Amino acid sequence: SKRRAAKKNKNVNLKNKFIVLQSGMICEARNQMDSIKAVENVRLKIPNILLVLTGKEDSEYKKKLEQYILKNKLEENIKFIGMFSRREDLCDLYKAAKIGIFPIGGQGGVLAPYEMLCAGNPIIISSDMETAQMTREHNLGIVTKEYDKALLEIYNNYEEYKKKAKIASIWIKKNLSWDIFADRMIDAFKDVWRGNK
């Protein structure tokens, strides 16, 4: 699976890397800059760290990120993969990763962290995300804005966080699957319909 994920971009060598993944649009709202800065702050303590950024790219924002990467000599620690044409390739990348990082602002990007959890990986999300409260209440991941500290916390206690991610993935499947969502919507429609009789 690591090999298939790496085929998307021949320059991405995932072997022996501690892969941190941020999936979703590469744009200001998704705030990949904070992910890059977090990796910059921990790269001496996690020398094999590799941040992989995947998703549709806003060219101006990507240019800004690339300039920061070059200026701070982070080329070995940050890789862009772009969009995948097949959903399976993204799933393979989720499985190859160790941590998902999502420093997203208030809106959007809510599915990607939970997809990462369902692949069995710990997640770090912004306290500004719509789902921050639910993530905190159900112990689904680390909710913070100190992404570098969270990366080190997970790295230094990886097996413990891996177990937590497994438990969180079960909660996601029991409470947030499309079947559960559809059943709840049908119940809500029935209640409304009964109330209008």
Side-chain angles (χ1 to χ4, degrees):
S1 67
K2 282 187 183 183
R3 248 181 284 135
R4 269 179 43 194
K7 275 184 188 175
K8 174 68 181 155
N9 183 332
K10 290 182 180 136
N11 296 326
V12 179
N13 178 7
L14 303 181
K15 194 174 179 183
N16 300 321
K17 298 289 184 184
F18 188 84
I19 300 164
V20 177
L21 175 64
Q22 184 173 354
S23 59
M25 284 188 68
I26 296 173
C27 63
E28 197 89 42
R30 297 297 189 268
N31 193 19
Q32 284 84 2
M33 183 63 84
D34 275 2
S35 295
I36 290 169
K37 289 178 179 178
V39 167
E40 179 183 16
N41 290 341
V42 302
R43 66 180 168 162
L44 296 179
K45 292 179 180 170
I46 312 174
N48 62 336
I49 195 166
L50 176 67
L51 173 64
V52 176
L53 302 170
T54 181
K56 187 177 177 185
E57 299 167 350
D58 172 318
S59 59
E60 285 304 307
Y61 184 66
K62 184 183 176 190
K63 218 179 282 179
K64 179 178 165 185
L65 298 177
E66 288 173 328
Q67 287 168 352
Y68 187 89
I69 291 165
L70 285 170
K71 180 182 173 193
N72 294 285
K73 298 179 175 51
L74 294 165
E75 301 92 332
E76 292 300 311
N77 301 104
I78 319 286
K79 298 294 177 197
F80 293 91
I81 291 188
M83 285 288 288
F84 286 104
S85 57
R86 294 175 349 118
R87 182 88 182 141
E88 293 84 3
D89 293 331
L90 179 57
C91 291
D92 285 343
L93 188 55
Y94 281 142
K95 290 173 190 166
K98 297 286 189 185
I99 300 176
I101 187 168
F102 302 93
I104 299 167
Q107 293 186 334
V110 297
L111 288 181
Y114 296 149
E115 288 175 343
M116 176 64 78
L117 267 180
C118 288
N121 293 312
I123 60 168
I124 302 165
I125 71 165
S126 167
S127 52
D128 290 336
M129 273 187 82
E130 300 164 9
T131 54
Q133 185 177 342
M134 181 176 70
T135 301
R136 195 180 283 117
E137 281 175 10
H138 297 285
N139 199 24
L140 303 178
I142 295 179
V143 179
T144 188
K145 284 197 176 175
E146 295 181 302
Y147 308 111
D148 51 353
K149 289 181 182 174
L151 282 172
L152 285 174
E153 168 65 21
I154 294 173
Y155 178 77
N156 290 326
N157 303 283
Y158 191 70
E159 290 310 313
E160 177 191 335
Y161 278 93
K162 196 73 173 149
K163 285 176 191 166
K164 286 181 180 181
K166 182 72 174 161
I167 293 165
S169 74
I170 293 165
W171 188 91
I172 295 288
K173 289 169 188 167
K174 283 184 180 175
N175 293 280
L176 298 180
S177 71
W178 284 113
D179 289 340
I180 299 292
F181 176 78
D183 288 346
R184 288 179 183 163
M185 289 302 291
I186 289 167
D187 289 343
F189 290 140
K190 284 179 183 175
D191 290 345
V192 169
W193 182 73
R194 283 187 199 111
N196 287 331
K197 278 188 156 187

